[in-house]
Amino acid sequence: MLALAQREFTQYFPQPGWVEHDPEALWQSQYLTALDALRSSGTDARDIAAIGITNQRETTLLWDRTTGTPVSNAIVWQDRRTASMCRELGGRGFAQSVTALSGLVLDPYFSATKLAWLLDRIEGARERATRGELAFGTVDTWLIWKLTGGQRHLTDVTNASRTMLFDIHRLAWSDELLSVFNVPRALLPDVLPCTADFGTTQPELFGSPVRICGVAGDQQAALVGQAGFTRGLAKNTYGTGSFVMLNTGETLVRSTRGLLTTIAFAFGPRDVRYALEGSVFVTGAAIQWLRDGLRIIDRTEDVEALAREAEDNGGVYFVPAFTGLGAPYWDPHARGTISGITRGTTRAHIARAALEAVAFQSTDVIAAMEQDSGVQLAELRVDGGGSTNKLSMQFQADLLGVPVVRPFITETTALGAAYLAGLQSGYWSSLDAVAEHWREDARFVPSMPAEQRAAKLQQWHRAVQRSRNWAQ
């Protein structure tokens, strides 16, 4: 790794359960971060073989094809404003067909209802969309559009598979799903494999044109970054939320326990691998809330030291269902609860309960994943900012009863995007050549007695039940 640059950008919460981004601020943050990394690496654009892009997947943007101007803020993947729309569609009998075609559950998490909401709420948007005047995209599509100066309107199969408009069997946009959500086909980008020619950047952006050769949604890119190319390998990315993904190979596994069937990656038009995924909406975001909402820590990295001030959670269980619960519960009406508070509860107990919630939620997902797939994990590969928290990772290993393994490079989403770009551009010759780069940095071995693990999980599940169906 030659250089690393990061920037936070503002999230907006105009109403409870609503989450938005400014598309132009999003673009500027990515562009300026790329410039920062380029400058600190001591290289220039002529030295870059290719760019890879990885992104928030379901976040929904809509813009004018002629001017490139967004018609509204982006609706972020966490946003729950379309819960009633999903409930209505489910009541009309569409839930089963949506899952059969897309592999997803009928939930506000995905792009389709967000896009329908924009078309219905913005004056004239539906008519303009039908005439082909507007363009829809997830964040990857928006970045490709901006990087190429509006020359390419593209996405990849992994991002397409998260819109709830894509048939993961035929690998094409579904007319049936477009009809269910009343979305005009003229809005949609073309779909390419993860490794493909996505265009060339405008010369003035970096001083010289650079090829864009790899694209994947953030969790699929993390699986690539973890060298998860073989069936049965699983990874968990700990970021704002947490996302467990298990490679199921060429087999499309249907979940009966609230997981998603999705596309893991594609290295050619028909060279597709599938995955089971469990999405936990709030993990790292709960630690940010301790910082920004409760203000019991100054920096997110301070949470581990504070949590270690308490020997255990003191009977406190924190279910951070700020915007509902994802897998395996899929309850958009759940809300956050902190249970078991007594007069002796301290901020250290709250911090420890927040870290433990990260592991509890992922454990629920992995238990469902093992039952659905018939695969018993030998280990869990972890990445993302939360994986650097030793207390949380040890607790994760204790709950799972298998080792938790962290790689040398934890920013595996960016690494996976780079691998995809390098494979397409010829920088790496094969998947085996990529896999040889994976290196273990830390291994957390379970040490908690089985009866203690079972008792903690039982209390956690009691707390989850108290959070459910709260927002009537």
Side-chain angles (χ1 to χ4, degrees), residues 8 57 91 103 188 190 203-204 249 262 267-268 326 363 374 388 396 404 421:
E8 285 195 14
R57 297 170 296 181
L188 303 178
D190 292 332
E204 64 272 16
T262 196
F267 301 113
T363 299
T388 62
Q396 184 73 86
V404 167

Side-chain angles (χ1 to χ4, degrees), residues 313-331:
N313 66 12
V316 175
Y317 288 79
F318 178 10
V319 183
F322 298 157
T323 57
L325 288 169
Y329 302 102
W330 295 108
D331 183 353

Side-chain angles (χ1 to χ4, degrees), residues 419-438:
Y419 283 155
L420 292 171
L423 285 165
Q424 174 65 16
S425 65
Y427 189 87
W428 286 291
S429 60
S430 66
L431 296 181
D432 289 340
V434 168
E436 289 174 1
H437 284 261
W438 191 90

Side-chain angles (χ1 to χ4, degrees), residues 217-230 232-237 244-248 263-265 273-276 381 383 412-413 416 419 438:
D218 48 10
Q219 304 317 315
Q220 286 91 341
L223 188 64
V224 173
Q226 289 275 28
F229 303 125
T230 56
L233 196 143
K235 69 87 198 172
N236 193 7
T237 298
V244 187
M245 185 169 281
L246 172 71
N247 185 334
T248 62
I263 294 174
F265 32 70
R273 301 294 183 271
Y274 292 95
L276 279 174
R381 292 187 177 184
D383 53 72
T412 51
T413 50
Y419 283 155
W438 191 90

Side-chain angles (χ1 to χ4, degrees), residues 246 253-259 276 328 363-377:
L246 172 71
V253 176
R254 294 292 184 188
S255 174
T256 60
R257 295 171 176 82
L259 302 179
L276 279 174
T363 299
D364 284 346
V365 168
I366 291 166
M369 193 169 280
E370 290 183 325
Q371 292 170 329
D372 273 334
S373 67
V375 173
Q376 296 297 306
L377 296 189

Side-chain angles (χ1 to χ4, degrees), residues 45-99:
R46 290 171 295 182
D47 299 314
I48 305 300
I51 287 175
I53 294 175
T54 182
N55 58 288
Q56 299 179 358
R57 297 170 296 181
E58 298 81 8
T59 296
T60 299
L61 298 96
L62 192 61
W63 64 93
D64 185 295
R65 285 186 182 273
T66 302
T67 65
T69 303
V71 301
S72 74
N73 273 350
I75 302 181
V76 179
W77 61 272
Q78 295 166 303
D79 190 283
R80 312 302 285 172
R81 75 186 65 182
T82 60
S84 60
M85 187 187 305
C86 291
R87 189 165 56 247
E88 178 194 348
L89 289 168
R92 291 164 56 192
F94 288 120
Q96 187 172 354
S97 60
V98 166
T99 299

Side-chain angles (χ1 to χ4, degrees), residues 338-365:
I338 302 178
S339 304
I341 295 174
T342 68
R343 184 62 183 84
T345 298
T346 68
R347 64 192 190 112
H349 291 119
I350 301 294
R352 193 174 189 104
L355 285 181
E356 290 185 353
V358 173
F360 277 127
Q361 293 180 99
S362 296
T363 299
D364 284 346
V365 168

Side-chain angles (χ1 to χ4, degrees), residues 110-171:
F110 307 105
S111 307
T113 56
K114 301 181 196 300
L115 179 55
W117 190 94
L118 288 172
L119 293 175
D120 290 337
R121 296 304 194 282
I122 298 170
E123 186 176 356
R126 185 167 292 284
E127 293 75 15
R128 295 181 65 201
T130 303
R131 293 195 299 266
E133 297 173 9
L134 299 181
F136 153 73
T138 43
V139 174
D140 60 308
T141 303
W142 174 240
L143 295 179
I144 293 167
W145 180 279
K146 298 292 281 187
L147 287 166
T148 63
Q151 298 301 306
R152 305 298 295 272
H153 186 212
L154 300 170
T155 191
D156 85 296
V157 290
T158 66
N159 279 290
S161 75
R162 309 299 291 199
T163 62
M164 216 154 52
L165 300 170
F166 192 75
D167 185 332
I168 61 172
H169 306 267
R170 295 175 47 248
L171 305 178

